Amino acid sequence: MSDYDYLIVGSGLFGATFARQATDAGYKCLVIDKREHIGGNVYSEKREGIDVHVYGAHIFHTSNDRIWEYVNRFAKFNNYINKPKVRFEDNVYSFPINLMTLHQLWGVTTPAEAEAKLEEVRIPCENPDNLEDWILSQVGREVYETFVKGYTMKQWQRDPKELPASIIKRLPIRLTFDENYFFDKYQGIPVEGYTSMVQNMLEGIEVRTGVDYFADKEALDSLAEKIVFTGKIDEYYDFRFGELEYRTLRFEHESIDGDFQGNAVINYTHPEVPFTRILEHKHFQPQTAAAIPNTIITREYSDEYKRGKTPYYPINNDKNNKMYKKYEVLARNEPGVIFGGRLAEYKYYDMHQVIGSALYKSRKELEKRSNNS
């Protein structure tokens, strides 16, 4: 008889959610993680009185009442609203693209004036299936080159014509003065940080960090009746069909006296600036930022992914999607293993989508076990 009902590989949001649901249903879970900490990429830590997003900015947002209610079981959220800025050469612009942005560029002051100007500069394309063609068909060349082209080339290390339009369709374009990046009903950041939230999700569950699943896979698998795998699906199958491609990130953290940029996120869109953005972490907690005399900033660089680095963004072009479909067929027929999360499902998930996927898959799994008992 196995020691555990579920071995959960990865303590990020998918693994923590599944573990919580299974534990609450009366099953025994063991959560392991290769890193020395829990939380995956949402991990945060206190430094000099500031909660630092160690692996880049994470702003929780959702319009799903159930998911919002769920995460509020484990954390109190602040009222942070994501209003990034863009710096291009010596100018700073409102972002995402909204009426203020277009006023700063062209002097327009009303939605009607903005729409007339956009109609003038748009470059029609009958079937805009790549990133460049799609954004040019929406906002024209000046907006594209100021806000999108350089940033995209740095972020993805690819010509925008080689990237799917779906990437840029996530970017809001508004003809109002609304600077909120997200459209969602709920938005915020845990007051005590994401690590505290994940700790609460994993309360009463055995967790072992610093454990490399693939270094001792057979012994670890033998501990549990079922495996929940949240790592790279291609690695699980020993790269049988090839390696899926990702972008990764590199971070430079720096402590500075005073206030550095007056905003949590500023994107640097000029191609000659080597980093993509600067984060100033204390501004993610606006209620306390003014009282903190020092600051911590993070310069974020996009980096070419190689095995051994942390995969962040799946590159969902045709080549990779076709390769993933082959792995997905294997996964669907893999007895005793549940695959979930951004890496296992090879999807560009936001945090609420990861939790939603984990709730859905855990519910299906637990209902199946209940029916079979």
Side-chain angles (χ1 to χ4, degrees):
M1 186 174 178
S2 302
D3 297 335
Y4 303 91
D5 295 295
Y6 295 99
L7 170 70
I8 298 171
V9 183
S11 66
L13 291 179
F14 190 99
T17 301
F18 196 103
R20 181 75 271 150
Q21 296 304 98
T23 300
D24 288 350
Y27 295 100
K28 188 176 181 182
C29 298
L30 170 63
V31 178
I32 63 171
D33 202 294
K34 186 175 181 179
R35 290 171 172 169
E36 296 294 339
H37 60 72
I38 62 170
N41 289 344
V42 305
Y43 172 72
S44 61
E45 63 183 32
K46 291 286 186 184
R47 299 180 184 177
E48 303 173 33
I50 298 168
D51 199 62
V52 175
H53 298 217
V54 176
Y55 300 101
H58 287 84
I59 300 102
F60 198 91
H61 58 97
T62 184
S63 292
N64 187 301
D65 293 334
R66 181 171 175 243
I67 291 175
W68 183 245
E69 181 180 349
Y70 186 78
V71 295
N72 274 268
R73 284 177 52 190
F74 310 106
K76 178 182 179 182
F77 283 74
N78 67 14
N79 62 355
Y80 175 81
I81 302 298
N82 192 30
K83 298 180 181 180
K85 307 300 177 196
V86 158
R87 180 159 181 172
F88 183 80
E89 297 178 336
D90 293 328
N91 298 311
V92 177
Y93 296 97
S94 177
F95 194 74
I97 298 164
N98 64 85
L99 190 52
M100 178 57 75
T101 317
L102 302 181
H103 171 73
Q104 291 167 325
L105 277 176
W106 299 325
V108 296
T109 57
T110 68
E113 290 176 358
E115 177 56 40
K117 181 64 177 179
L118 286 171
E119 185 61 32
E120 176 188 323
V121 300
R122 286 178 181 129
I123 301 174
C125 180
E126 186 173 335
N127 182 29
D129 60 352
N130 66 66
L131 188 153
E132 180 175 291
D133 286 348
W134 187 86
I135 195 67
L136 287 174
S137 73
Q138 301 299 305
V139 294
R141 186 161 300 280
E142 184 177 5
V143 174
Y144 168 62
E145 294 187 349
T146 302
F147 296 95
V148 177
K149 183 178 181 180
Y151 188 92
T152 300
M153 292 176 69
K154 289 189 290 185
Q155 180 77 350
W156 296 94
Q157 294 293 300
R158 281 167 172 76
D159 189 305
K161 289 183 177 179
E162 299 174 7
L163 295 168
S166 58
I167 293 174
I168 199 65
K169 287 181 180 180
R170 297 162 60 96
L171 176 67
I173 300 170
R174 302 189 181 104
L175 299 187
T176 68
F177 287 109
D178 182 4
E179 296 180 292
N180 185 354
Y181 191 90
F182 301 115
F183 291 98
D184 292 293
K185 182 177 179 180
Y186 305 110
Q187 185 174 171
I189 294 171
V191 172
E192 299 300 325
Y194 284 102
T195 300
S196 175
M197 183 181 87
V198 176
Q199 285 174 337
N200 291 336
M201 295 174 78
L202 294 171
E203 184 178 0
I205 300 169
E206 184 177 351
V207 179
R208 301 178 191 174
T209 57
V211 177
D212 186 342
Y213 173 67
F214 291 108
D216 202 12
K217 182 178 183 299
E218 186 175 344
L220 288 167
D221 284 350
S222 71
L223 296 176
E225 291 183 26
K226 281 197 168 183
I227 312 301
V228 177
F229 183 76
T230 72
K232 293 169 54 188
I233 191 170
D234 55 348
E235 185 175 16
Y236 185 89
Y237 289 108
D238 198 25
F239 309 105
R240 186 179 307 180
F241 304 120
E243 292 195 45
L244 294 166
E245 294 179 294
Y246 295 86
R247 294 300 302 158
T248 189
L249 299 172
R250 179 169 56 87
F251 305 99
E252 291 181 356
H253 306 290
E254 182 180 358
S255 298
I256 299 173
D257 291 332
D259 199 316
F260 181 76
Q261 63 186 20
N263 202 56
V265 183
I266 295 185
N267 294 347
Y268 284 74
T269 58
H270 198 285
E272 293 183 6
V273 177
F275 45 84
T276 54
R277 60 183 180 177
I278 295 180
L279 313 178
E280 187 165 8
H281 297 273
K282 71 179 182 180
H283 291 298
F284 288 119
Q285 301 284 354
Q287 293 84 355
T288 59
I292 300 175
N294 56 302
T295 197
I296 296 175
I297 66 168
T298 299
R299 293 177 179 87
E300 189 172 301
Y301 299 79
S302 181
D303 198 7
E304 192 72 35
Y305 175 76
K306 295 179 181 178
R307 200 182 299 185
K309 293 184 179 182
T310 301
Y312 283 87
Y313 306 111
I315 299 176
N316 292 118
N317 57 20
D318 287 343
K319 170 191 168 186
N320 286 295
N321 289 339
K322 288 176 181 176
M323 189 188 303
Y324 167 69
K325 289 296 183 184
K326 295 180 181 179
Y327 286 117
E328 186 183 33
V329 170
L330 295 180
R332 282 202 303 265
N333 296 287
E334 185 73 37
V337 183
I338 298 163
F339 294 84
R342 179 181 278 199
L343 303 183
E345 298 180 57
Y346 201 63
K347 289 182 180 177
Y348 193 103
Y349 275 144
D350 287 325
M351 288 183 286
H352 67 288
Q353 294 168 318
V354 173
I355 291 174
S357 175
L359 289 173
Y360 172 75
K361 291 193 174 187
S362 62
R363 184 174 67 252
K364 282 185 63 179
E365 166 66 15
L366 298 172
E367 285 175 353
K368 183 168 63 176
R369 289 193 72 148
S370 177
N371 292 335
N372 291 337
S373 61

